[in-house]
């Protein structure tokens, strides 16, 4: 009798591999690993590339590309740090302080230029100065309407010229309400101090909560801290 042709068994992939939910899970896991890493590397590359532009201040004869024969990314970071350090050392002595003060006096009196310069200088002095405090505390503010609460940061007291027409509101404070996920933009509102509630979060914890779209919650040790009822504390 003729032999029956052998039939090769069909190869079947495990059902686990074909499961779409499993594939989605693996893809999501990969995204959770690569997205923060990729964004971090992109930001670092952007910062390093921006600092490398300081190499353009050097004469061609002193440019590292000339005497090394190759462009090495990141050398601008060293030059930037050296310039900042040298500027700080110069400003720390009497002659340097007088020189920078004179330059500031001249720049703050140039038409049009002084508008931008003075505004940026005031903001940078507040944010970067060791004695300045841009955000004194984080609070809960009824915004954009009563019954809805937003995280905000107390920045100070409104100027007297604005308070003249708001005397009936009681003591007012200036509150910066940032947008999410970018706290660099937001709204400055004037709120009666009696309407504010303490958030129980530090400024850093509140910023993390805003940047993460409310996903990253404060650590347990922060949540366990007693909430201060006195906004003046």
């Amino acid at each position: 009798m003729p032999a029956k042709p052998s039939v090769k068994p069909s190869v079947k992939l495990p059902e686990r591999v074909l499961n779409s939910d499993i594939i989605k899970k693996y893809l999501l896991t990969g995204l959770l690993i690569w997205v923060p890493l990729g964004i971090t590397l992109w930001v670092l590359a952007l910062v390093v590339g921006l600092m490398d532009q300081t190499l353009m201040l050097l004469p061609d004869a002193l440019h590292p590309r000339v005497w090394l024969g190759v462009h090495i990314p990141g050398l601008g970071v060293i030059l930037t740090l050296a310039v900042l350090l040298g500027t700080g050392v110069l400003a720390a002595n009497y002659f340097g302080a007088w020189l920078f003060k004179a330059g500031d006096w001249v720049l703050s009196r140039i038409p049009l230029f002084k508008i931008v310069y003075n505004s940026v200088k005031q903001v940078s002095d507040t944010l970067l100065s060791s004695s300045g405090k841009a955000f004194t505390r984080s609070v809960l503010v009824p915004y954009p309407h009563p019954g809805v609460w937003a995280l905000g940061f107390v920045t100070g007291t409104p100027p007297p010229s604005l308070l003249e027409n708001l005397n009936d509101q009681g003591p007012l404070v200036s509150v910066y309400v940032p947008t999410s996920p970018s706290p660099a933009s937001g709204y400055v509102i004037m709120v009666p101090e009696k309407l504010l509630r303490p958030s129980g979060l530090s400024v850093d914890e509140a910023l993390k909560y805003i940047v993460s779209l409310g996903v990253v919650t404060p650590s347990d040790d922060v949540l366990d801290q007693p909430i201060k009822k006195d906004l003046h504390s």
Side-chain angles (χ1 to χ4, degrees):
M1 292 178 63
K4 293 182 179 180
S6 60
V7 179
K8 295 183 178 180
S10 58
V11 178
K12 294 184 178 181
L13 293 175
E15 185 178 354
R16 181 181 179 86
V17 178
L18 298 177
N19 192 321
S20 61
D21 293 336
I22 297 298
I23 295 177
K24 291 179 181 179
K25 178 181 177 181
Y26 290 154
L27 289 176
L28 180 59
T29 303
L31 284 174
L32 292 176
I33 293 174
W34 281 106
V35 166
L37 180 60
I39 293 178
T40 301
L41 293 176
W42 175 76
V43 171
L44 290 177
L46 185 65
V47 172
V48 171
L50 183 62
M51 289 186 176
D52 277 344
Q53 299 300 317
T54 58
L55 295 175
M56 300 175 61
L57 300 175
L58 297 176
D60 291 339
L62 299 178
H63 202 286
R65 185 182 63 254
V66 175
W67 47 274
L68 290 178
V70 63
H71 173 67
I72 300 179
L75 290 180
V77 176
I78 301 176
L79 179 60
T80 301
L81 294 177
V83 171
L84 293 176
L85 181 61
T87 304
V89 172
L90 180 61
N93 59 67
Y94 177 80
F95 174 75
W98 177 86
L99 185 64
F100 285 114
K101 186 176 181 179
D104 180 73
W105 184 86
V106 173
L107 294 176
S108 61
R109 282 161 177 76
I110 300 177
L112 297 181
F113 184 88
K114 66 179 182 180
I115 299 176
V116 178
Y117 177 76
N118 290 337
S119 301
V120 174
K121 188 174 186 303
Q122 289 178 1
V123 173
S124 63
D125 287 346
T126 303
L127 294 176
L128 302 178
S129 175
S130 58
S131 59
K133 293 183 179 180
F135 300 148
T136 58
R137 59 188 183 271
S138 67
V139 294
L140 291 170
V141 55
Y143 181 84
H145 55 76
V148 176
W149 296 90
L151 271 174
F153 302 96
V154 176
T155 58
T157 305
S161 58
L162 294 178
L163 294 176
E164 290 180 357
N165 297 323
L166 298 172
N167 292 329
D168 59 330
Q169 298 297 313
L172 297 176
V173 292
S174 298
V175 178
Y176 175 68
V177 181
T179 57
S180 184
S182 174
S185 60
Y187 303 92
V188 177
I189 59 177
M190 290 168 287
V191 187
E193 191 169 7
K194 61 184 179 182
L195 296 181
L196 299 180
R197 296 186 182 182
S199 68
L201 303 179
S202 66
V203 172
D204 291 338
E205 291 291 343
L207 284 173
K208 290 179 184 178
Y209 186 75
I210 292 171
V211 171
S212 67
L213 301 175
V215 175
V216 177
T217 57
S219 56
D220 293 337
D221 56 342
V222 174
L223 292 176
D224 291 339
Q225 295 177 359
I227 297 178
K228 296 180 178 180
K229 299 299 182 181
D230 185 6
L231 288 175
H232 295 284
S233 57

